[in-house]
Amino acid sequence: QKEVEQDPGPLSVPEGAIVSLNCTYSNSAFQYFMWYRQYSRKGPELLMYTYSSGNKEDGRFTAQVDKSSKYISLFIRDSQPSDSATYLCAMSPSSGTYKYIFGTGTRLKVLA
Amino acid sequence: DTGVSQDPRHKITKRGQNVTFRCDPISEHNRLYWYRQTLGQGPEFLTYFQNEAQLEKSRLLSDRFSAERPKGSFSTLEIQRTEQGDSAMYLCASTPGEAGFGYTFGSGTRLTVV
């Protein structure tokens, strides 16, 4: 079993829909959680990071962490065709840790 | 400074040849990371530098792989005697210090071994 599980999709939604992307993890030591967006043939781009449990909002994006369930989510409101990309979750046990564990990524397609 | 720069963007090589990739991190970032990403997978950690010191290497980094970061500035990743299984995207990332605030990744070098 992988430390971080993420549904690879693809997930297709109509423009304007609310998108929910999720990851589960097994290591209870994880405290730092990040979401990256990766366009085809490009490097990942940091979208959001959160520490411990709770919610964080940035524009159309909301990240949620539920440490009791070992479950994190990224919500995208008013989705746009330009949001079509692969979304990767990543996590680490502490800020001093030098490496992240990534999920496999969920491919999202927003249809115009 | 425009971010993390990687060169080349794409490399096609024949099996058995040596290849070298370069990464220029954001100038004030003292931590530099190499990751490998294969199709349909998330990035996997390869190695990490703090300034010029290579502090950790993954078991994914076989003896054919070597990385350097002379003077704590740019870094190179060399693969000797390439194999078809080495075909992947090689990603470089940097952070100013603690990794808890997320990496800045480069655009990657896509290696194809034929």
Side-chain angles (χ1 to χ4, degrees), chain A residues 93-109:
Chain A
S94 73
S95 65
T97 299
Y98 49 82
K99 64 180 179 181
Y100 297 158
I101 308 299
F102 282 83
T104 55
T106 299
R107 194 153 48 97
L108 171 68
K109 189 166 186 178

Side-chain angles (χ1 to χ4, degrees), chain A residues 41-42, chain B residues 35-37 87-91 107-111:
Chain A
R41 300 186 178 273
K42 299 286 187 183
Chain B
Y35 277 73
R36 181 170 69 186
Q37 185 177 25
S87 295
M89 172 84 92
Y90 290 84
L91 292 162
S107 293
T109 293
R110 182 170 295 280
L111 174 65

Side-chain angles (χ1 to χ4, degrees), chain B residues 1-49:
Chain B
D1 194 46
T2 57
V4 178
S5 177
Q6 290 189 248
D7 184 68
R9 291 296 307 278
H10 194 182
K11 178 72 175 178
I12 300 173
T13 191
K14 291 184 178 178
R15 190 161 48 102
Q17 297 294 304
N18 299 344
V19 294
T20 300
F21 311 140
R22 177 179 170 125
C23 171
D24 288 90
I26 294 172
S27 57
E28 62 268 25
H29 287 187
N30 61 5
R31 291 192 178 189
L32 185 147
Y33 310 80
W34 286 97
Y35 277 73
R36 181 170 69 186
Q37 185 177 25
T38 53
L39 199 62
Q41 300 298 314
E44 293 178 295
F45 172 81
L46 292 179
T47 191
Y48 147 66
F49 290 86

Side-chain angles (χ1 to χ4, degrees), chain A residues 65-79:
Chain A
V65 174
D66 181 350
K67 290 189 69 182
S68 62
S69 302
K70 298 190 181 69
Y71 188 88
I72 69 171
S73 301
L74 178 71
F75 297 96
I76 307 174
R77 290 183 297 281
D78 188 24
S79 56

